[in-house]
Each structure stands twice: as C-alpha cells, then as structure tokens.
Amino acid sequence: MAAGRAARTGLSGLFAVYKPPGVASIRVRDTVETLLLKELNSLEQPAVQQQVRFLPTTVEGNAGKELTLTVTQLPVLAAHPLVRGPEFTHLKIGAGHRLDTKSSGVFVLGVGHGNKLLTDMYNAHLTRAYTVRGLFGKATDDFSDTGRLIEKTTFDHVTRDKLEQILAVIQGTNHKALLMYSNIDLKTQEAYELAVEGLIRPMEKTPPLITAIRCLQFAPPEFQLEIQCLHETPQYLRKIVHEIGLELKSTAVCTQVRRIRDGFFTLDSALLRTHWNLQNIQNSIQDSKIKVKVGLQRSLSCQARSGKRHTDMDQVAESKLHSTEGTSASDLTHKMR
Amino acid sequence: MAFWARQISRRCLSVKTSNVANSIQQLRKSHRTWIQLHELSVLSLLRTDNQFFQRGLKTYQSVSLGSRLQSTNSSNGQIVSSESNLLSPVNHYQQQAEIIPSSDTETLYEVWEDTPPLSALEEISEEEAVQIVAEPPLPLGSFTLRDYVDRSETLSKLVLLGVDLSKVEKRPHAGQLLLRLDFEKDIRKRLLFLKDVGVEDHQLGPFLTQNPYILAVDMEALETRVAYLKSKKFGKEAVAQMVSRAPFLLSFSVERLDNRLGFFQKELGLSVQKTRDLVVRLPRLLTGSLEPIKENWQVCQVELGFRRNEIQQIVSKIPKILTANKRKLTETFDYLHNVMGIPHHILTNFPQVFNSKLLRVKERHMFLTFLGRAQYDPAQPSYISLDKLVSMPDEVFCTEIAKASVKDFEKFLKTL
C-alpha cells in the first residue's frame, strides 16, 4: 500500500528525455505521464479494508433457538480496487523549453515539486546548444527540406573558408547585441566580476541571440553547424541556415535541428524512449539534483547583482534600446554591412 | 430513506397483522414526504437538508420500535428489492399508496383514531432488539456505485465475479441498469447462458465490464443469435472465441450480423470459408461501423495501389488493417515504398509492417542504412526480411540482424 504512495511523493525534480523527431512534444510529455502512472498503479497492492459487523444468527441457547448477534469481519467492497478505480490518475509533469515536431533532442521535464524549478530555470536565462544540418542548393517556404520548393541554385562556388567567414560575422554581431541587451558598461568592475563568473548575458526577455556558432562538418551539399544560443526557437535556427545560404550567394535548407544541451542537461543524461520507466527516471532525477541546485543558485546571484545595476544603467540603456528596438540579430548583420 | 423503504415494504406484506393502523399512519406520513420529494427530483445529488433528515429520523424511530418483523431471510430479500428499486422510488410508492386506500378504508380510519402512536421509551423484547439494523441512510442519487455496493447483493456478487464497477459506471445508463437488476432473477440466467456458449469463468468479469448492457437483453433474442451463428456453420469453439473477444456481438440483432457477414463476402470478394476465418480472428469487424472499413478498402486500392488479390492476401493475414487509422496507414506505406524502396509484392508477403509503429521502422531502417546493411531484396545477398525487421525486440534485432551492440544502437538514436 505504501510502495506506490512513497514512490509518488519521492518523484519530484527535473529530468531530461530525448525527444525523437516527428513526434509533438506534448505527446512525449503525455506518454511519459501514462507510463509512470501505469507503473505506480501496478506497485500499489492494497489490502482490502475490513469492517467489523454484527450479524444476527440463530444459536442453540437455553430455551431452544435464539437470535443473537455474532461478530464477523467482512471486507468493505467500497474500498475494493475494482469499485474504487486506480489509485493514481494524474501526475503533475511540466515541460521545459519545448521543441517543435520536426526537431529532436534534449527535452527537460519536471515532475511534482520540480515544476517550480522549471520556472527558476526559465528565469535563469541559460544557453542551449544545437547541432544543425543544412543542405545547399534549395530554398523552401518554411526553410526546411519538407516545405514547398521556391528556388534551386548552384553551390559549386561555396567553400569552407567562405562559410567560416560568414559564421564569424554572425557571431560578432550577435555578440555585440548580447552585450547591448545585457545592459552592462564594460568598463566597470561589476562587468569584470560577472565575466569571471560566467557568460555576460541578458537576464530578461530578448530577441533570439547566438552566443557561439561554428562549423562541424562541410561536405557539399551538406554541412553541419553547432550553435549555442539564448531565447531561440527551432524555427529561428532554420531561418539562420536559410540566411547563411543567402549570404553565400546560394540557398540552403535545414534538414535537422537537434538540441544537445539545455542549461545543465546534456545528451548523456537524456533518457531514450526505451528507458522511460520509473526506476530510470528516479535515478536521473537524483543525479541531476545537485547540478541543478548549484547552477540555479549561481545564476540567481548573478541576477540579483544585475537587478541592482539595472536601476543605475536605466537611463543610459534606454536611449540605446529605443534606437535598436524591433530589430533582430540578423537585421543587425545587414546593418553592419 | 432506505428505512422507510424497508419498513414500508414490510408493512405492505404484513397488512393482516394487528399493527395495520401504524402502517397506515406511517404510509400517510411517508406519502406526504414522498410528494415533496418528487418535487425535489429524485435523481439529483444528495442534499443536506436538515429539516428533511429530522423528519426522516422521527419516522424511522417511530417505525422501528413498533415493528413486527418477519424472519431475517425475508427481511434481507426485502432489503435487496427495496435497494434495487431505490432509483425509481416514486412510482413504487405511489403504487403502494394506492393499494391501502382501496381496501376497507372506513374501518381502518376508526382503528386509527383509537391506537395512540408508539413512544420511544416502550420496552421491546430481546429478539426485536437484536433485529434492529442501524445503518446510515443510502444517498438518493449518486454519481458512483461505491455508495451502493456494500448494501446491494447484486453489485457485491458482480464485484466478486470480477466486474470492474469503476469502468462500468462511466458508461451511459449502465450503473442505473445494474442497480435495477436482481442477481437471482436476471443475471444468473444470462451468466449461465454465456457459460454454455463457451465464455470461460475468468473471462466473465472483463466481458461484463465491456458490455454490461447484455444483462438487459432478452434470453430468446440471445438464443436466436447464437443459433443464427451456428447455422452459418461457425463451430462451437469459434462461436466461443468470437463472443468472448467481441462482447458486443450478442447485443446485435440477427439482421445486422447477416448484413455484416454479407458485406465482407461481397465487398472483399472472399470465399465463405475465408470470411469465416477472418471474422473468427477479428470478431470486432462485426461490431464496429462499416464506414471506416469501406474507406480503408478504397485507400488500399486507390492510394496505395494494391491489386484486389493482394489486398485479399493482406487482409487474410492481418485483418487489423481494415480497422487501422487511414492517415497512419498511408504514412507508413509512404515511408516503406518511397524511402525504403520496397516494392508492392514484398509488402504483400509481409503485411506485419503495417501493424507496427512508424517511428520504430524509421529508427531501425536508419540504423541499418548507417551500417550499410539495409538490403530488403530477397534476390541479393545479406537480405533482411521485413517481419524480422519489425517484430523482434531491440536486443535480438541488434545482435542478430544489425550485428551491432545495443549501446551502439542507442548512441545512434541520440544522433537522429
């Protein structure tokens, strides 16, 4: 009886699953919930509740047959599992930064009290890492290889050097935007301390920013990039691939977007579909507890400090913000040109 | 309310005793309150009306102390009948209220004025004291059968048989049906009939969970339908298998079953023996709607491009294709034919691939392509048959077919 309840209360924290491509992330969350509920319900082995009843029976007494009450223990059928239904019907499982249907990769889920940690992770504004595969020579309407074809081009003139040049430019402009949105004057002591601790990054909602981008493989027409970014969506990454194609005076579509790191969770800790069961999830939660705690504490202290300087830098920052309001990092690229 | 029910039902059966006056008094009082109840609409959820219960308690006390009870067995029988009629009390008591006024009302009225009401301090014998049953009242209306299961013999016996009441009560009108039925009169006959047909003991519980409405079907209708199936030359074991795997089968009329069997024979163009085998393997075909089956047939012919004899072969092996989801079927076929490059005749030989999940097929095919072992043509060496690709568990697939370790497969999956 206690086994299921103990498991349910112990199940609280964050864990990562590997979302396969072609499946909606909500379905992944629902599948995990159903599997966990099935296991929890099978753990429960309740003894059927007994009730003491006094039933009238005939007993051989002094003067012939007599009616007396005898004590019997009968099961209470209202507490029988076939009448009451399964013990657990709902688990609170929340999803972290979602992936769309075509993309795959590390997908963080929170269960029980871990859902609060999900909010903390969101407010910590951590970076994520993706591997993006692209294909030269085509352009489609939704920037991926399954969309409607718009144009075809040649790509013989594209070399690895040109690609890396473009990537360097993108990284540079995004870095400038990053510093601007973080509202830090680089000449202060505060900025130095923040830089020593970790990445200087904006602690509020901003347009998507790329912190690092490099080319992993180049075998025309295919190429693979690794992108570290903030506040992005998978569709934004596909747009980046499309724009890289345009910059190289050719066209490109994105064939795969795969998340390899989400904050503290990497590919190693992500659970595959075949491993989605209670034991593995409990182990995963246990392993990631310390990492998450330390990481969140660090970013919260960063935030506290940035909150302080935000009030000082308000007036200086506002004029800068107004001038670049409504532009994304990619538009900045064109401005720089 | 149950107390009144019990006491009043006892009253009606014991009209000839000397406590007729009491009975009329109680009936009058209860009749008054029943009229009020009727206005409150009986099937609503339990109301916590204090006045109500106080009145109820008063009548109960006055009833129980003066009661001349029958033997325990008959009182238990009355309990069952009163509880089984609980959800339609208004009709029941209006009938009973009518019985008394029709018989010798004048003499009874005279008797009525003479005898004073019984007091709570009156002494009763030991036997009568022992027979007082003091249980909390049953709710008038409820959304779950849990409230009634302990007091109702029918429901208790069904639970002990293995019927899942938590699922049955979710079906429309099924809970009310079960409460109205009596185990000895109605249910026992039908259970014995099902056992004769060939449903096993341990299957009766799940059977009734899926189709509780069969307990309300006429015995003659059930017998006619089984006779019809036997006349179509389905063997005894075949009928038993069909009935136990499709609990709704015997709820269908003979014309409907005939219509369905005719459809399968004409549309699919199968021989009589093959139709029989098909239906015995998947009796769900007879109980579901025919529209999705017609659509799937069209999809197979037009969109997927299978010939008629190929579809017949596929359906004889895997009847589930007829009830499969159209969209999933087309997506699986699209991947198998266009991406994996498998021609129609090989797919006809191995229709199990349509049964499996598309994601599984995709992952395994991509792994084999990565290893360079994706060879599905039987004419060429190191050929991999489709059924082995799909039906084996991961470990066997990795070691025997892909000739790689499970860890490599997992690492590969994380790169997809």
Side-chain angles (χ1 to χ4, degrees):
Chain A
M1 186 104 168
R5 297 240 179 90
R8 164 85 173 268
T9 44
L11 204 64
S12 80
L14 294 177
F15 62 99
V17 296
Y18 189 87
K19 174 183 132 25
V23 179
S25 44
I26 308 172
R27 262 190 73 192
V28 168
R29 190 214 77 89
D30 289 338
T31 316
V32 171
E33 187 178 343
T34 321
L35 288 169
L36 280 177
L37 279 175
K38 213 162 53 164
E39 284 214 39
L40 283 173
N41 281 325
S42 67
L43 276 181
E44 277 284 316
Q45 268 147 36
V48 185
Q49 220 176 43
Q50 305 275 357
Q51 191 190 48
V52 175
R53 301 265 310 262
F54 296 95
L55 296 177
T57 49
T58 51
V59 161
E60 285 291 328
N62 298 330
K65 293 220 167 171
E66 258 181 31
L67 270 179
T68 49
L69 295 172
T70 43
V71 179
T72 44
Q73 251 200 345
L74 292 176
V76 174
L77 284 175
H80 195 277
L82 282 179
V83 179
R84 167 180 60 115
E87 173 90 18
F88 303 107
T89 45
H90 174 68
L91 268 182
K92 248 187 170 177
I93 297 190
H97 194 85
R98 277 197 283 224
L99 288 161
D100 59 2
T101 312
K102 277 185 282 206
S103 47
S104 59
V106 176
F107 181 35
V108 178
L109 294 173
V111 66
H113 291 298
N115 290 318
K116 291 182 208 156
L117 292 172
L118 276 177
T119 335
D120 292 338
M121 267 189 82
Y122 180 78
N123 291 331
H125 300 280
L126 301 161
T127 55
R128 290 174 203 106
Y130 291 79
T131 51
V132 174
R133 275 185 195 274
L135 204 67
F136 284 120
K138 280 202 299 186
T140 55
D141 58 349
D142 65 349
F143 314 131
S144 76
D145 55 345
T146 50
R148 190 171 55 93
L149 195 62
I150 293 182
E151 70 174 300
K152 276 188 162 176
T153 55
T154 57
F155 49 87
D156 308 320
H157 55 277
V158 177
T159 61
R160 190 162 183 153
D161 296 331
K162 286 192 193 161
L163 181 65
E164 302 213 340
Q165 202 182 3
I166 301 289
L167 295 180
V169 166
I170 293 177
Q171 190 166 333
T173 49
N174 272 285
H175 193 66
K176 286 205 175 81
L178 192 73
L179 292 174
M180 187 201 68
Y181 279 115
S182 321
N183 302 321
I184 300 180
D185 186 7
L186 281 177
K187 299 190 188 95
T188 57
Q189 176 65 16
E190 233 179 282
Y192 171 75
E193 281 169 18
L194 279 172
V196 158
E197 278 194 20
L199 182 65
I200 298 175
R201 57 187 196 274
M203 283 299 183
E204 70 243 331
K205 194 97 176 75
T206 61
L209 292 168
I210 295 178
T211 55
I213 181 167
R214 65 186 178 119
C215 176
L216 292 176
Q217 283 175 23
F218 183 78
E222 287 182 9
F223 63 98
Q224 194 179 28
L225 306 171
E226 187 190 314
I227 306 180
Q228 317 245 354
C229 41
L230 265 180
H231 306 145
E232 80 306 333
T233 56
Q235 192 60 21
Y236 179 76
L237 297 172
R238 294 196 186 96
K239 196 173 164 208
I240 292 282
V241 168
H242 171 80
E243 283 168 10
I244 288 173
L246 290 177
E247 291 295 323
L248 289 166
K249 299 188 179 64
S250 174
T251 48
V253 286
C254 174
T255 48
Q256 187 201 48
V257 173
R258 178 173 140 246
R259 191 190 282 162
I260 52 177
R261 181 181 65 82
D262 185 346
F264 320 112
F265 294 94
T266 55
L267 266 185
D268 308 323
S269 50
L271 293 169
L272 276 175
R273 214 170 75 241
T274 42
H275 299 319
W276 288 350
N277 52 36
L278 188 62
Q279 191 57 46
N280 287 340
I281 291 179
Q282 277 175 331
N283 293 342
S284 172
I285 291 175
Q286 202 59 39
D287 294 335
S288 59
K289 250 187 193 160
I290 301 173
K291 263 196 296 179
V292 170
K293 201 165 145 194
V294 166
L296 283 177
Q297 260 176 2
R298 215 199 294 170
S299 57
L300 278 173
S301 67
C302 260
Q303 217 163 8
R305 236 178 287 163
S306 76
K308 223 175 24 170
R309 67 172 153 76
H310 193 78
T311 45
D312 300 334
M313 298 302 299
D314 244 339
Q315 286 149 349
V316 181
E318 247 177 291
S319 56
K320 272 197 190 163
L321 268 175
H322 281 308
S323 63
T324 53
E325 216 174 58
T327 56
S328 67
S330 49
D331 295 339
L332 284 170
T333 326
H334 295 291
K335 268 198 181 173
M336 291 301 146
R337 292 254 151 138
Chain B
M1 297 308 290
F3 304 124
W4 305 340
R6 244 176 267 141
Q7 304 307 324
I8 288 160
S9 55
R10 266 181 228 134
R11 293 272 157 269
C12 294
L13 291 169
S14 60
V15 166
K16 287 183 189 160
T17 62
S18 56
N19 289 331
V20 144
N22 285 333
S23 68
I24 297 165
Q25 202 176 33
Q26 304 321 319
L27 206 64
R28 279 241 148 174
K29 279 192 194 166
S30 62
H31 185 55
R32 236 177 284 140
T33 39
W34 270 123
I35 292 170
Q36 285 158 356
L37 261 183
H38 185 49
E39 288 158 29
L40 290 169
S41 101
V42 179
L43 284 176
S44 59
L45 288 172
L46 189 63
R47 306 218 178 175
T48 51
D49 192 351
N50 288 327
Q51 247 185 354
F52 214 77
F53 280 115
Q54 277 168 19
R55 220 181 294 135
L57 285 169
K58 265 192 227 160
T59 33
Y60 167 62
Q61 280 165 4
S62 51
V63 156
S64 67
L65 293 173
S67 67
R68 182 137 315 217
L69 299 168
Q70 313 262 328
S71 71
T72 336
N73 289 336
S74 61
S75 70
N76 278 340
Q78 284 159 26
I79 291 168
V80 170
S81 62
S82 63
E83 267 133 17
S84 55
N85 287 331
L86 198 64
L87 288 180
S88 64
V90 178
N91 299 331
H92 185 65
Y93 293 110
Q94 275 175 356
Q95 278 175 9
Q96 292 190 333
E98 280 157 55
I99 294 169
I100 300 299
S102 63
S103 62
D104 297 344
T105 22
E106 286 170 341
T107 47
L108 291 172
Y109 278 127
E110 285 168 59
V111 175
W112 206 11
E113 282 156 1
D114 291 346
T115 43
L118 296 163
S119 108
L121 300 172
E122 198 177 292
E123 283 193 22
I124 52 169
S125 69
E126 273 295 314
E127 286 204 2
E128 283 171 4
V130 157
Q131 283 169 347
I132 296 173
V133 179
E135 284 179 20
L138 284 177
L140 292 174
S142 171
F143 60 95
T144 167
L145 289 173
R146 274 169 72 176
D147 301 322
Y148 304 110
V149 77
D150 278 310
R151 313 270 201 89
S152 164
E153 208 185 285
T154 322
L155 291 178
S156 322
K157 287 205 176 155
L158 284 176
V159 172
L160 294 171
L161 200 63
V163 178
D164 193 338
L165 288 182
S166 63
K167 289 188 186 153
V168 168
E169 69 194 12
K170 288 181 186 155
R171 286 184 179 268
H173 311 303
Q176 200 158 336
L177 174 73
L178 286 183
L179 277 173
R180 276 181 210 261
L181 293 173
D182 180 51
F183 195 84
E184 293 304 319
K185 276 191 281 177
D186 312 313
I187 302 182
R188 190 178 279 274
K189 281 191 290 180
R190 286 172 179 82
L191 290 177
L192 290 170
F193 174 79
L194 286 174
K195 281 194 74 168
D196 280 334
V197 168
V199 181
E200 314 241 336
D201 288 343
H202 64 268
Q203 284 173 330
L204 280 173
F207 187 99
L208 288 177
T209 313
Q210 293 213 317
N211 186 14
Y213 307 107
I214 204 167
L215 299 170
V217 180
D218 263 339
M219 284 300 296
E220 300 93 46
L222 289 174
E223 276 158 25
T224 340
R225 287 159 198 176
V226 174
Y228 167 76
L229 286 174
K230 293 217 165 117
S231 76
K232 288 282 172 184
K233 302 207 188 91
F234 284 100
K236 196 166 185 309
E237 304 85 34
V239 175
Q241 205 189 2
M242 279 166 68
V243 168
S244 49
R245 285 173 64 185
F248 279 96
L249 191 68
L250 291 179
S251 302
F252 276 55
S253 67
V254 175
E255 294 90 36
R256 232 174 147 181
L257 289 174
D258 198 30
N259 200 14
R260 296 275 155 97
L261 285 171
F263 168 81
F264 285 113
Q265 214 171 324
K266 281 179 228 157
E267 272 287 317
L268 306 192
L270 295 169
S271 71
V272 180
Q273 181 57 36
K274 280 202 173 160
T275 324
R276 238 179 267 148
D277 289 334
L278 180 75
V279 166
V280 168
R281 261 190 83 177
L282 195 66
R284 233 179 33 209
L285 289 171
L286 290 179
T287 55
S289 152
L290 287 179
E291 285 305 316
I293 299 181
K294 284 186 201 163
E295 282 181 15
N296 277 9
W297 183 258
Q298 288 302 316
V299 159
C300 284
Q301 265 195 313
V302 178
E303 279 185 56
L304 308 190
F306 283 108
R307 288 193 296 267
R308 202 177 157 88
N309 58 342
E310 284 175 340
I311 309 182
Q312 282 171 4
Q313 220 179 332
I314 291 175
V315 161
S316 327
K317 271 200 191 165
I318 307 276
K320 235 170 128 178
I321 285 189
L322 290 174
T323 47
N325 187 344
K326 242 185 337 183
R327 184 181 50 89
K328 286 187 188 169
L329 193 64
T330 2
E331 279 173 4
T332 317
F333 177 81
D334 177 48
Y335 191 79
L336 285 168
H337 189 62
N338 297 328
V339 178
M340 287 168 74
I342 300 175
H344 280 95
H345 63 270
I346 298 184
L347 284 174
T348 323
N349 287 333
F350 298 111
Q352 305 92 320
V353 286
F354 289 113
N355 240 357
S356 65
K357 294 209 162 144
L358 179 61
L359 196 58
R360 202 171 144 98
V361 174
K362 264 189 193 170
E363 285 171 354
R364 289 188 175 184
H365 170 72
M366 284 204 232
F367 188 50
L368 289 174
T369 333
F370 177 72
L371 293 174
R373 289 177 158 276
Q375 179 57 264
Y376 306 112
D377 190 0
Q380 304 201 352
S382 70
Y383 152 72
I384 295 174
S385 73
L386 286 176
D387 63 337
K388 281 198 192 148
L389 176 74
V390 158
S391 53
M392 296 195 159
D394 275 340
E395 298 86 30
V396 183
F397 168 76
C398 289
T399 45
E400 285 186 32
I401 299 180
K403 311 245 194 299
S405 70
V406 182
K407 285 237 178 316
D408 293 338
F409 186 44
E410 284 170 15
K411 270 194 214 164
F412 175 76
L413 285 180
K414 283 195 178 172
T415 63
L416 278 182

